[in-house]
Amino acid sequence: TLEEIFHGCLKRVTHKRKVLLAEGGEYTEEQRSLTIDVKPGLPTGTRFVFEGEGNKTPTRAAGPVIFVLKPLPHARFSRRGSDLVHKVTLP
């Protein structure tokens, strides 16, 4: 949310990754839990990269998992760069 980006927060997210057990196609799914440290005022589009948390096989290391910061729409405010914008009509 816009409030979380403004104040900063820790977000816990979970994702599933496939783990190939052996050459030939048998795989299992693991549920992984990650913590994203959202610093106050981070720009939209900030990438959070978690190396080694992607799908893995016996012959390859697990790749990265990437989350991209995108705020949800807010009822009153919008964001323009580092600024919060609120439009009002004055009588």
Side-chain angles (χ1 to χ4, degrees), residues 13-33:
V13 295
T14 58
H15 78 96
K16 291 181 183 176
R17 73 175 182 176
K18 293 179 182 177
V19 179
L20 191 62
L21 301 175
E23 294 299 327
E26 288 283 325
Y27 71 89
T28 184
E29 283 190 348
E30 289 181 346
Q31 190 158 359
R32 307 288 287 181
S33 183

Side-chain angles (χ1 to χ4, degrees), residues 65-78:
V65 170
I66 302 170
F67 293 93
V68 179
L69 183 67
K70 182 180 177 189
L72 297 172
H74 192 273
R76 287 191 189 158
F77 296 99
S78 61

Side-chain angles (χ1 to χ4, degrees), residues 5 39-48 68-71 79 81-82:
I5 295 172
K39 302 286 186 196
L42 281 177
T44 298
T46 298
R47 294 166 40 110
F48 299 93
V68 179
L69 183 67
K70 182 180 177 189
R79 195 168 186 203
S82 296

